[in-house]
Amino acid sequence: MKKYRFLDINSYGIQNRFLKYVMILLIISYSILSICISIVATSNLKSGKVKEAEYINDKLLLALENRYTRIDDNIEKCIISNNFQNSLLNRDMTLGEKEELYGELANINIANLDEYLYVDNKGSIYSKSYRNINYKKFSNSNFNIALGNEYSKTKFIWQQDNLFNTNSKSLFICRFIRNMNFSHEPGILLFKMSENFFEDILKEVTNEGHNIYFFVNSDGEICYEKNMGKSKISDESRKKISVYVNELMNENNIENSSKIDSVKEGIVAYKYHDKTGLIIANLIPNSIIYSTNIKIVWIVGIVFLIMLFITFNFSVYFSKRFTKPIKDINEAMIGFKGDDFSKKLSINTNTELDTIGESYNKMIINIKNLLDEVKKQEKELRISELNSLMYQINPHFLFNALNAIASSIRINPQKARELIINLSSYLRYNLELNDEFIDIKDELQQVRNYIEIEKARFGDKINVVCDVDDVNVKIPSLIIQPLVENAIVHGILKNKGKGTIKVIVKKQQEDVKIIIMDDGIGIDEEIIQNMYYDDVPKENIGLYNVHSRLKL
């Protein structure tokens, strides 16, 4: 009986066959799609684009409101501050009070803050940059006039910067500072915002698309413009936006809802923020408004369904024929956990998959052999490491410990006996090490024995503080004592004066956290980094040994 074939295409290998079928499918599908797209005209999706722009405007308005609230909260904290209140009294501030006021100004946490300046009711100036700003120069900047009759409102002002000598239009945020207990003339707190103020607000909401965004003040001046796409806008359209904002403000006809207007380049959606007096203008370019057509949605939908139908049928056919061996290999790969080496693949397709199957079987055998070898070498390495650690007892330490005991025999025999016990316990611990994990309490007792010997040598130069929880856990041997020794030798003894070492063992849910810290000379960051590459100087061998032990 003749075998049925969906398409009679001679090819060698599963990859070549699959690629040929996919290419034929893509050529047919994209040809149909291209023909459909070429006969479709653009249509008007104005309503949808305008709603999208209004939605973005609402989010920008919310971001601006959040910025305003955070700034206003910071100013409120300044108002109720004793330093600001004292600056408004009928007396000169002391040098200490002025320094505290400067410190409070420096700690104001406002994003995009470029400069700050505070003028009290006696004409004293407090500024961030310590520029040559006097009261006359401040008065000539007309900020008190710009604030007008605002008794206690934070006000956004867009004007020429003649105060900080940038001579460019900038955004200033001002407010009168009044004494809450007495009737005095107010001071003025002023913030100059950086150029990124509007940029960051826009980034909070959107950083993509093709619209053009404007922030306009109530006088119709464009404070900020950001073109997210490649569309261009003329000066004539900018002027029209400014005029339109002026008309809306004069008519008091913008506060409660979004406003829509058009310019030569597209449609503009406006949104007003009453607290800052800023208007957000979102220009939707014509190229975006008329870039899509209802018909194209239908045609592309039909083409998509046709492609989906064709692709589905082809996929069902070819997947049954070609993907079963791939699935077998995939399931074998996923199912292999490194513990069962008995499962082998049997692939017979007369394609490259047969080679993959054979390679997989060889890989399983090689992994098994490699794991056996690694386990063997790991065991030998751990034994060698323990032997190395056991024989690394510094002869100078032993000599000095015996000298300390000898010195104590005449002066304090009881102390000498205790030191002999500490030293014998210390040596016995090192000699009885094996490859097994030990109780952390035994390791900590070894640390205490070592500390007592060192304290006998160096007296009150070494102070040890232990903060140890009652934990029951087994750890690799010799991972705490070498760190304490490293802290004493390389941290405390190399430093002038006394030093403190902290040994901290804390239980954290299922884990135990061990911390060894000292207030000595510290350790170079380069040594820590080199340790990860097994590049450690001889004098840091203790630290390297602990690192190696933990890696095992």
Side-chain angles (χ1 to χ4, degrees), residues 227-282:
N227 191 338
M228 305 295 285
K230 297 181 180 180
S231 301
K232 296 182 179 180
I233 182 170
S234 63
D235 291 336
E236 178 184 354
S237 296
R238 291 188 181 93
K239 184 177 180 181
K240 186 175 180 181
I241 291 173
S242 298
V243 171
Y244 185 78
V245 169
N246 255 324
E247 292 175 352
L248 291 174
M249 296 305 299
N250 292 333
E251 297 171 1
N252 293 322
N253 191 26
I254 193 173
E255 295 186 1
N256 298 323
S257 62
S258 299
K259 299 296 179 181
I260 306 298
D261 191 30
S262 61
V263 294
K264 181 172 61 176
E265 290 83 1
I267 297 174
V268 185
Y270 297 87
K271 197 74 175 182
Y272 175 69
H273 187 251
D274 58 341
K275 293 180 181 178
T276 63
L278 294 173
I279 297 95
I280 300 168
N282 188 344

Side-chain angles (χ1 to χ4, degrees), residues 392 486 490 494 523-545:
Q392 279 181 6
N486 187 78
H490 299 289
K494 290 185 179 181
I523 185 170
D524 291 338
E525 181 67 24
E526 183 179 357
I527 293 177
I528 297 175
Q529 295 300 324
N530 289 340
M531 184 172 60
Y532 292 106
Y533 299 99
D534 298 333
D535 181 14
V536 180
K538 292 182 179 179
E539 60 268 20
N540 301 111
I541 193 65
L543 193 62
Y544 173 72
N545 284 338

Side-chain angles (χ1 to χ4, degrees), residues 21-123:
Y21 293 133
V22 169
M23 288 302 298
I24 293 173
L25 177 62
L26 290 177
I27 290 172
I28 294 173
S29 300
Y30 284 115
S31 296
I32 296 173
L33 187 61
S34 299
I35 294 172
C36 293
I37 292 175
S38 65
I39 62 174
V40 174
T42 60
S43 75
N44 187 357
L45 295 179
K46 173 181 175 180
S47 176
K49 290 297 180 182
V50 168
K51 288 181 180 179
E52 180 181 344
E54 290 177 336
Y55 173 72
I56 294 176
N57 281 357
D58 288 337
K59 293 178 69 176
L60 287 171
L61 198 71
L62 180 60
L64 184 59
E65 175 65 23
N66 291 336
R67 284 294 183 98
Y68 178 90
T69 301
R70 289 196 293 269
I71 294 171
D72 196 50
D73 289 343
N74 275 275
I75 296 177
E76 289 288 346
K77 291 178 182 178
C78 293
I79 292 175
I80 64 175
S81 165
N82 290 332
N83 294 318
F84 280 85
Q85 290 294 304
N86 290 337
S87 71
L88 300 173
L89 298 176
N90 288 329
R91 65 174 177 82
D92 292 330
M93 295 182 70
T94 65
L95 181 60
E97 289 175 333
K98 288 182 178 181
E99 289 179 352
E100 288 182 1
L101 183 55
Y102 269 115
E104 190 163 346
L105 285 168
N107 289 327
I108 291 176
N109 184 20
I110 296 178
N112 307 118
L113 178 60
D114 191 16
E115 299 279 357
Y116 61 74
L117 184 141
Y118 171 59
V119 183
D120 64 20
N121 54 7
K122 295 178 285 295

